Amino acid sequence: MIKVAVVDDEALVRAALRQILDSADDIEVVADCDGRDALRQVHMTRPGLVLVDSVMPGVDGIQVVRAVRALPEPPAVAMLTAFDSGELFTDALRSGVAGFLLKDADPDTLVDAVRVLAAGGSVLNPHVRHTFADVLRPQEAAMPSRATTALTRLTERERQVLSLVAIGMSNAEIAARLGIGTATVKDHLRSLRLKLGVRTRVAVAVAAYQMGLDTLPGRSCAAP
């Protein structure tokens, strides 16, 4: 059973998300609260995934993400957003989010995204991905060879793993696709983070997008 905590300042939004997620046989919403009560609820209920509203009064989403990710054994955290702010997404990436979901996502997409995140995958909604592209484009203009240079440092296996991370696969799915062990996948991911100069899995997916490695057939980089 996938245990989820929902953090949003609007009670109606929390109720709607609870109804959608609880309708899935393998998902249980164990807590829903605003930002001020998030850390206490996470301590009490021990969810495997926390969905956090990006903008809340008092304690905002980035603060909640940082506090949850600072726990000794932190759950995965994904950000719920209705905004296109590149600055917000960049701050969230640095804080350790595993993905971004738009609040107006349809129920099936939301449920599938929770399953991907709970399995250790990353979720990058196409709309959010395009916002990242707009933010990154001026940087790429200033340093046009950066992505190419990073790509040349990767082994063929690391490129394969990077492409599969970009389309949202979990470690277990990557291992099955490539015929290797999950421990080996983790080793490749550690090497990728080092070579790409990033700290989180979703940042690896963003890097793959910059390199044009997110177009494999099958699942989309939106994951789902």
Side-chain angles (χ1 to χ4, degrees):
M1 182 66 70
I2 302 169
K3 294 184 177 181
V4 179
V6 176
V7 181
D8 194 293
D9 63 303
E10 297 186 36
L12 285 176
V13 173
R14 298 199 303 268
L17 290 172
R18 178 184 281 274
Q19 183 176 13
I20 291 169
L21 296 177
D22 279 345
S23 68
D25 293 338
D26 57 340
I27 300 174
E28 178 187 6
V29 176
V30 294
D32 67 79
C33 60
D34 61 18
R36 289 180 292 270
D37 199 31
L39 204 55
R40 185 180 71 86
Q41 290 290 338
V42 170
H43 271 299
M44 288 176 55
T45 59
R46 304 283 183 178
L49 172 66
V50 183
L51 301 180
V52 181
D53 184 15
S54 58
V55 180
M56 296 180 288
V59 180
D60 69 21
I62 298 296
Q63 288 177 289
V64 172
V65 171
R66 288 172 179 162
V68 171
R69 292 299 299 166
L71 293 172
E73 296 182 7
V77 181
M79 184 153 278
L80 294 164
T81 181
F83 299 91
D84 292 359
S85 170
E87 181 180 355
L88 168 68
F89 298 145
T90 302
D91 287 345
L93 266 180
R94 291 171 179 161
S95 300
V97 298
F100 300 87
L101 294 170
L102 294 182
K103 282 190 171 183
D104 60 358
D106 64 77
D108 288 343
T109 296
L110 180 61
V111 168
D112 286 343
V114 166
R115 289 173 177 147
V116 170
L117 290 161
S122 57
V123 174
L124 197 59
N125 180 280
H127 186 70
V128 175
R129 183 181 56 172
H130 295 322
T131 299
F132 267 123
D134 291 338
V135 173
L136 293 169
R137 193 168 290 117
Q139 301 174 25
E140 291 170 354
M143 294 187 294
S145 64
R146 182 182 59 185
T148 302
T149 300
L151 187 59
T152 61
R153 297 174 59 200
L154 304 183
T155 66
E156 181 60 29
R157 182 65 88 190
E158 285 170 345
R159 293 188 192 195
Q160 293 172 338
V161 171
L162 179 60
S163 297
L164 297 176
V165 169
I167 61 171
M169 285 193 173
S170 67
N171 288 358
E173 290 173 320
I174 294 172
R177 173 70 72 90
L178 299 180
I180 58 180
T182 54
T184 303
V185 174
K186 291 178 182 179
D187 288 340
H188 287 312
L189 284 171
R190 279 193 290 269
S191 178
L192 283 170
R193 287 194 295 268
L194 180 63
K195 290 182 179 181
L196 298 174
V198 299
R199 296 192 302 169
T200 67
R201 188 188 192 93
V202 74
V204 170
V206 172
Y209 175 74
Q210 288 181 272
M211 296 176 188
L213 297 179
D214 62 326
T215 55
L216 290 184
R219 294 165 65 177
S220 154
C221 184

